Structure formats: C-alpha cells, structure tokens
Amino acid sequence: MKAGTAQKLVLNMISTAIMIQLGRIKGNKMVDMQLTNGKLITRGTTMIMKELNVTAIEAGELLNKFGNVRKAIEHYKKEK
C-alpha cells in the first residue's frame, strides 16, 4: 500500500511539471481543459471573469468563441 501511494505521488508530480512546462497552467488552475459539461464551462467562465475583469456574459461569449480558457484570455488581451 505504501509503495503504491509513493508511486502515485511521484507520477502526479511528473505530470504536473509537464503541464506547467507546456503552458497549460495559469496560476494554480488548468486552463487547457476540455469543456465537456456544465461544471467545467462554469469554471472556465469564472476563470475568464477573474482574469480579465469582465462580466459573466462577456466571459461566456469569449469561451464559446475560442473554445478554451487560455485562447480566450490571450485573444482578449491582444485586442486591448
């Protein structure tokens, strides 16, 4: 049991480091997630609202237009 737990911790650290190097993490949140359900869409909208100081409607439109949080934030910042 202890060896399995240690192995899981090491694999989680490796995968987290890879995600950070690939730029898929912003702050402490995953921004390149697939928005497959309502909970994830709400989470993505909230992240955009906090990052860009926009309304929920604007954040939702950006998320629908670009498909993920990272692209929506990047394109919004380029436009401003």
Side-chain angles (χ1 to χ4, degrees):
M1 186 73 163
K2 291 181 183 179
T5 303
Q7 182 180 13
K8 181 181 175 186
L9 289 173
V10 170
L11 291 174
N12 282 340
M13 287 190 299
I14 292 170
S15 65
T16 300
I18 290 170
M19 291 299 185
I20 291 169
Q21 289 177 349
L22 291 173
R24 295 185 176 189
I25 307 292
K26 186 156 188 75
N28 64 348
K29 302 206 185 319
M30 174 77 78
V31 292
D32 275 342
M33 58 191 167
Q34 293 182 0
L35 305 171
T36 56
N37 61 37
K39 179 181 175 183
L40 293 175
I41 292 170
T42 302
R43 185 179 298 161
T45 304
T46 304
M47 283 193 279
I48 292 171
M49 288 171 54
K50 288 181 180 179
E51 179 72 21
L52 302 176
N53 295 321
V54 296
T55 65
I57 295 171
E58 291 173 316
E61 290 172 355
L62 286 168
L63 196 56
N64 286 333
K65 182 177 179 182
F66 295 106
N68 74 29
V69 175
R70 182 177 48 85
K71 288 180 185 176
I73 291 171
E74 288 174 358
H75 285 286
Y76 185 86
K77 286 184 176 181
K78 285 181 185 178
E79 291 176 3
K80 293 291 175 171

